[in-house]
Amino acid sequence: MTVTMPERDEPTGALVRPYAVTRGRTRPKLEIALEALVETTQRGRSGMGRGQGGSEHQYIAAMCDNGRVQSLAEIAARMQLPLGVARVIVADMASDGLVAVYEPTSLEDETDAVGTDLLERVLSGLRRL
């Protein structure tokens, strides 16, 4: 009697445990905000073009290349990885100079009333939904 396994719709990467992707690390080398924007650097383009880095590194480099800046949250969602795992991978890439990370500016640094007014209008619009 043969048993057939149902076919999976999952991407191949979903079968790899997150701790294997990060080599057991749970803390990133750099703290990266959820909304931080990630862009592939020239070094990342040339290094990934020669097949350097793991498949996750290559996927992120391709995803954030040619002006397609992605947030850390978008990267995690598109790769179907937990946010912490994506944060560790992107932090590794940033420390190796393969990607540039643009952290959001703090609202506490903003002293103009225009920023506050805009946020109040956005909040009002969200409440009406």
Side-chain angles (χ1 to χ4, degrees):
M1 178 173 159
T2 58
V3 177
T4 59
M5 298 297 289
E7 290 193 29
R8 296 180 180 233
D9 292 330
E10 299 173 326
T12 309
L15 300 176
V16 176
R17 297 276 185 221
Y19 63 81
V21 173
T22 62
R23 289 178 238 131
R25 291 177 300 121
T26 57
R27 303 223 182 239
K29 293 178 182 178
L30 309 166
E31 284 301 318
I32 301 174
L34 177 69
E35 66 275 13
L37 299 177
V38 180
E39 179 179 31
T40 304
T41 63
Q42 181 60 39
R43 181 175 180 187
R45 279 184 213 97
S46 62
M48 293 300 128
R50 291 183 301 225
Q52 293 178 345
S55 61
E56 294 83 15
H57 291 78
Q58 292 174 0
Y59 187 81
I60 292 170
M63 187 186 335
C64 301
D65 198 12
N66 295 325
R68 294 176 297 185
V69 179
Q70 304 284 315
S71 72
L72 178 64
E74 290 172 310
I75 292 169
R78 289 176 190 244
M79 294 184 70
Q80 299 178 354
L81 287 173
L83 184 60
V85 173
R87 186 174 275 141
V88 169
I89 295 169
V90 170
D92 288 350
M93 292 179 72
S95 66
D96 291 341
L98 303 174
V99 295
V101 177
Y102 304 104
E103 292 287 343
T105 58
S106 173
L107 290 177
E108 294 171 4
D109 295 340
E110 298 293 323
T111 57
D112 64 322
V114 175
T116 304
D117 183 49
L118 174 64
L119 288 175
E120 288 175 1
R121 289 192 315 237
V122 170
L123 182 59
S124 175
L126 289 172
R127 285 183 179 148
R128 282 184 269 163
L129 291 177

